[in-house]
Amino acid sequence: MNSVQPWMVVAGVVAGMAAGGIGASAWWWPRLKRARRLIDRIEASRQLMNQQSTQARRQIEHLQLELGELRLIAERFRRKAMTTGSPAETLDGPESILPAEPPPASRRPAPSGGESDAGFAQTQYEDPDDAARHGFAPTQIEKRF
């Protein structure tokens, strides 16, 4: 055996591995490129959805605050109408359709067992004028989450 032959075998193996690497790279490159584009597109979509959900949450919070303020205003108008007279005579516009008093059914006390016929616990009715008599008025909006 000649001393050149082992070097030729080693050189052939290295050249074969290089050719195999180039072939595999040429085979996988378009697939990897397509997968990378898809991953980038999905990531951009995810970020957009996160931004939109954050914006929607802020908008919901803002609307809940506005609704709470409007409820407080409506309650003040209702109390004012109850103390000054008939709501139809004192209020004009959309406030005039607010009920002057809650329906009599809601003023019923809870049954002695604490549950209604359907098996649900009933809540006690709190008279909104009770707070006015004692000098308390709602001062902040409670979040119900």
Side-chain angles (χ1 to χ4, degrees), residues 64-142:
Q64 285 176 341
L65 287 174
E66 285 183 9
L67 180 63
E69 290 172 3
L70 290 174
R71 284 181 178 163
L72 289 175
I73 291 169
E75 181 66 20
R76 287 184 196 131
F77 274 121
R78 191 186 67 75
R79 287 182 184 173
K80 183 178 178 182
M82 287 178 64
T83 59
T84 59
S86 172
E89 297 172 358
T90 58
L91 297 175
D92 295 328
E95 294 85 13
S96 64
I97 62 172
L98 294 175
E101 291 185 18
S106 65
R107 290 188 179 245
R108 271 187 304 175
S112 61
E115 292 187 1
S116 68
D117 296 335
F120 296 107
Q122 286 200 350
T123 57
Q124 294 289 331
Y125 173 75
E126 293 182 21
D127 189 9
D129 296 329
D130 190 37
R133 279 187 244 138
H134 297 293
F136 294 108
T139 57
Q140 67 185 36
I141 300 168
E142 295 180 12

Side-chain angles (χ1 to χ4, degrees), residues 40-53:
D40 291 341
R41 193 177 321 145
I42 290 171
E43 182 66 24
S45 175
R46 186 187 64 81
Q47 288 177 354
L48 178 65
M49 293 303 291
N50 283 341
Q51 289 174 353
Q52 288 176 343
S53 65

Side-chain angles (χ1 to χ4, degrees), residues 32-62:
L32 291 174
K33 190 175 179 182
R34 192 176 329 129
R36 175 45 67 200
R37 280 195 314 253
L38 181 61
I39 289 170
D40 291 341
R41 193 177 321 145
I42 290 171
E43 182 66 24
S45 175
R46 186 187 64 81
Q47 288 177 354
L48 178 65
M49 293 303 291
N50 283 341
Q51 289 174 353
Q52 288 176 343
S53 65
T54 302
Q55 182 181 4
R57 285 187 186 111
R58 285 186 197 138
Q59 187 176 7
I60 289 170
E61 287 178 7
H62 180 72

